[in-house]
């Protein structure tokens, strides 16, 4: 196996591991919700809940995905054109995924609290987006590089917010210690 092939395989493996880690980073938030029996200060976007508004948003997103599937497989018969358009489509969704935590930016600055941000998710997002950017660079694939770069930028913005507004310790923990 040549050195470039081994390096590509190594980077690709890191991408898969970091992506799995990023999508499982919400488990710490679930544990926190279970321990405190509260969903306060937890981002709702990574989780599907039973609220009507969120279910409507989820159903709308599923509808958009089904329309996209129908468009790409039924209306774009040329495989090369389909691949180019699908790359753009996936890039838009990846960018929106990485930008979604910034929806709470105004709340964080207004309250001067990062309680609604997840530190493990921020670390996982940085590792995932950086590894995919590196992999895209190795493949010279702009769809992979450009769509994952916002994850790096938003992670550093969130790290800055964690530094500027450190998270307070859980009040239940402090009550137990006194």
């Amino acid at each position: 196996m040549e050195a470039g092939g081994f390096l590509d395989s190594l980077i690709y493996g890191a991408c898969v591991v970091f992506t799995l880690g990023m999508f499982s980073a919400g488990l710490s938030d679930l544990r926190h919700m279970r321990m405190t029996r509260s969903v306060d200060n937890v981002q709702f976007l990574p989780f599907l809940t039973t609220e009507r508004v969120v279910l409507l948003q989820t159903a709308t997103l599923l509808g958009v995905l089904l329309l996209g599937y129908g468009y790409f497989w039924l209306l774009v018969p040329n495989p090369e054109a389909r691949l180019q358009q699908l790359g753009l489509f996936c890039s838009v969704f990846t960018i929106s995924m990485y930008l979604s935590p910034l929806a709470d930016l105004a709340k964080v600055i207004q309250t001067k609290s990062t309680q609604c941000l997840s530190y493990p998710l921020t670390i996982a997002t940085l590792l995932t987006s950086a590894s995919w950017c590196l992999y895209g660079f190795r493949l010279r694939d702009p769809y992979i590089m450009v769509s994952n770069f916002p994850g790096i930028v938003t992670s550093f913005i969130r790290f800055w917010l964690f530094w500027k507004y450190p998270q307070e310790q859980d009040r239940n923990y402090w009550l137990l210690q006194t």
Side-chain angles (χ1 to χ4, degrees):
M1 177 180 269
E2 64 182 66
F6 175 75
L7 184 59
D8 288 346
S9 296
L10 185 65
I11 295 171
Y12 177 74
C15 290
V16 170
V17 168
F18 290 144
T19 300
L20 290 172
M22 180 179 73
F23 286 118
S24 64
L27 295 175
S28 64
D29 290 334
L30 288 173
R31 187 185 60 171
H32 175 75
M33 287 186 283
R34 186 167 185 217
M35 288 174 55
T36 62
R37 299 198 183 279
S38 171
V39 294
D40 290 340
N41 297 322
V42 176
Q43 288 180 301
F44 75 93
L45 291 175
F47 302 101
L48 294 178
T49 64
T50 58
E51 290 173 20
R52 176 176 277 178
V53 175
V54 177
L55 283 177
L56 182 60
Q57 291 172 344
T58 304
T60 303
L61 180 61
L62 269 172
V64 168
L65 289 174
L66 286 173
L67 282 172
Y69 177 80
Y71 170 76
F72 289 116
W73 291 105
L74 299 175
L75 298 176
V76 184
N78 182 345
E80 192 170 313
R82 183 185 308 145
L83 188 60
Q84 292 294 319
Q85 291 180 15
L86 186 60
L88 182 61
F89 183 76
C90 291
S91 293
V92 168
F93 274 100
T94 302
I95 289 169
S96 66
M97 176 191 69
Y98 283 134
L99 294 180
S100 68
L102 294 183
D104 291 326
L105 186 63
K107 180 180 176 183
V108 168
I109 293 172
Q110 188 177 39
T111 62
K112 296 183 177 173
S113 171
T114 54
Q115 291 295 108
C116 64
L117 297 178
S118 170
Y119 196 76
L121 182 59
T122 302
I123 292 170
T125 300
L126 176 64
L127 292 172
T128 302
S129 55
S131 63
W132 279 110
C133 275
L134 180 61
Y135 187 65
F137 178 76
R138 292 279 302 161
L139 296 178
R140 292 179 176 83
D141 188 330
Y143 291 116
I144 296 174
M145 287 186 294
V146 171
S147 62
N148 284 284
F149 187 73
I152 296 170
V153 173
T154 59
S155 293
F156 281 116
I157 290 171
R158 287 184 281 167
F159 281 132
W160 179 77
L161 288 169
F162 282 117
W163 173 78
K164 184 158 177 76
Y165 308 117
Q167 287 186 342
E168 298 173 10
Q169 294 292 327
D170 190 2
R171 291 183 184 193
N172 294 332
Y173 177 76
W174 285 105
L175 291 175
L176 291 174
Q177 294 298 321
T178 57

